Structure formats: structure tokens, C-alpha cells
Amino acid sequence: MKRLALLLCIIFASAGLNGCGYNQIQQNDEAVIAAWGDVEASYQRRADLIPNLVEVVKGYAAHEKETLTAITEARAKVGQIRLGSDIINNPQAMEQFQAAQGGLSSALSRLMVVVERYPDLKANQNFLDLQHQLEGTENRINVARVRFNETIRVFNTSIRTFPNNLTNNLLLKLPRKEPFKAEAGSEKAPAVSF
């Protein structure tokens, strides 16, 4: 009789745990960490490509030292930020990370202006290959950010809806996570003039 009572308690306890959302919240938290890893990998790919791009451009536009220096400095700032999955729980660290990446994007945009001034560089196959690689990398970064934001949405929803919110408030106490946000001023379309 005691065994039957113990077995029934175990069955009800496991059913209760399955219904409380504990496992789902844990899965969603792990999905956020994995999605952040994808974002980091995309940024790392870009950081790895930049030295090659800079070397190709240096050969053609040695007198555009200011732009090349800006890219090198921006890449160094990105490299100084130590990343880990804990950054997704730290809004200040996430803001610093996004600011550093924004500076690098800005420097790369200035590099493309330099390229427009040097038609021979644009025709160079090495440069074209690297430019395509950078374009693909920027697309990968965007896709990784979108996926990261989607996993953040799923996670935040899972800790705010009943009964998962009770489980989170009583047991896990996981904070709401912040998604990637647009850089200040990005709501305005850039002016294009020919």
C-alpha cells in the first residue's frame, strides 16, 4: 500500500512539474543562449574578414590611411569587449557591444566610399571576393539578430504567461531578456545622391 501511495505521489509530482513550465522555460533559456552564440559567430566571421579587406585596399589606396585606421580601431574596440552568454542578461554590456559593432559598421561604410573613388580597386578580383564575403556576412549577422530576437520573444513570453510565470517567480527567477535594438538614428532612411 505504501509503495502504491509513493508511486502515485511520484506520478502526480512529475505531472505537476510538466504542467508548471519548468522544463519549457529551461529549453527557451537554452535557445536564447544558442541564438546568441549564432550572433557572436556571425560577428566573429566579419572580424576575421576585415584584416584581409584592409590589406587589399591598402595596396590600392595607401593614401586613404585615415579610413583604414578607423576600421582598424573600430575592429580593436570590438575585440576588447569580452563576450559570453552572460551579456544577454546585462543591458549595459549589450549596449556597449552594439555600440562597438555600430562603429565598425560605420567604418566599413566609409571604406566603401573610398572604393567608389578608385575604379581599379573595384575591378580587382580579390577585392570583389572580399566584398561579396562581407555582404554575405552582414546578411548572416542580420539573420542571426532576427533569430535571436525571436528566441528572446519566445523566452520572455514563456516566463510571463500562466502557469510558467509562477514557476519562474517561485523557482527560477530568470530575468526578462532584452532583444537587439536598432541604432539611434536608423529610423531615418540614408540620403543617396549620385
Side-chain angles (χ1 to χ4, degrees):
M1 195 59 152
K2 287 183 182 181
R3 285 186 178 177
L4 182 60
L6 181 63
L7 182 62
L8 287 174
C9 285
I10 291 172
I11 291 171
F12 285 123
S14 65
L17 285 176
N18 282 338
C20 71
Y22 182 87
N23 291 334
Q24 186 62 49
I25 292 171
Q26 296 295 331
Q27 289 171 353
N28 292 342
D29 191 38
E30 289 301 317
V32 168
I33 292 168
W36 178 247
D38 292 343
V39 171
E40 286 180 318
S42 297
Y43 279 126
Q44 183 62 49
R45 184 175 193 275
R46 177 170 74 172
D48 292 344
L49 283 173
I50 289 171
N52 295 327
L53 178 64
V54 168
E55 289 303 315
V56 170
V57 174
K58 271 184 187 177
Y60 279 90
H63 55 283
E64 293 291 345
K65 189 174 183 177
E66 181 181 316
T67 301
L68 299 173
T69 301
I71 292 171
T72 304
E73 288 172 358
R75 183 176 180 271
K77 284 180 185 174
V78 167
Q80 289 174 352
I81 297 176
R82 296 290 167 235
L83 297 177
S85 60
D86 58 326
I87 193 172
I88 56 183
N89 294 321
N90 185 339
Q92 292 82 14
M94 181 68 87
E95 195 173 302
Q96 285 178 327
F97 177 78
Q98 284 185 263
Q101 291 296 336
L104 184 56
S105 294
S106 175
L108 286 172
S109 294
R110 287 194 307 271
L111 177 64
M112 293 304 144
V113 170
V114 169
V115 170
E116 291 300 319
R117 293 184 193 153
Y118 300 100
D120 290 342
L121 176 60
K122 288 192 300 185
N124 179 283
Q125 188 60 43
N126 289 335
F127 179 77
L128 290 174
D129 291 344
L130 284 169
Q131 191 174 17
H132 291 297
Q133 289 292 325
L134 272 177
E135 181 182 345
T137 299
E138 294 301 319
N139 288 337
R140 286 182 177 133
I141 289 170
N142 187 49
V143 167
R145 284 177 176 173
V146 168
R147 288 180 182 161
F148 176 73
N149 283 350
E150 177 59 20
T151 59
I152 292 287
R153 184 196 63 75
V154 169
F155 173 80
N156 287 343
T157 301
S158 75
I159 65 170
R160 296 180 67 209
T161 56
F162 183 81
N164 294 3
N165 64 339
L166 297 175
T167 301
N168 189 51
N169 291 338
L170 297 173
L171 297 175
L172 299 171
K173 299 180 180 6
L174 296 173
R176 188 174 179 277
K177 303 201 186 305
E178 291 295 319
F180 261 100
K181 294 183 175 95
E183 293 180 35
S186 64
E187 69 277 1
K188 296 176 188 164
V192 178
S193 61
F194 294 100

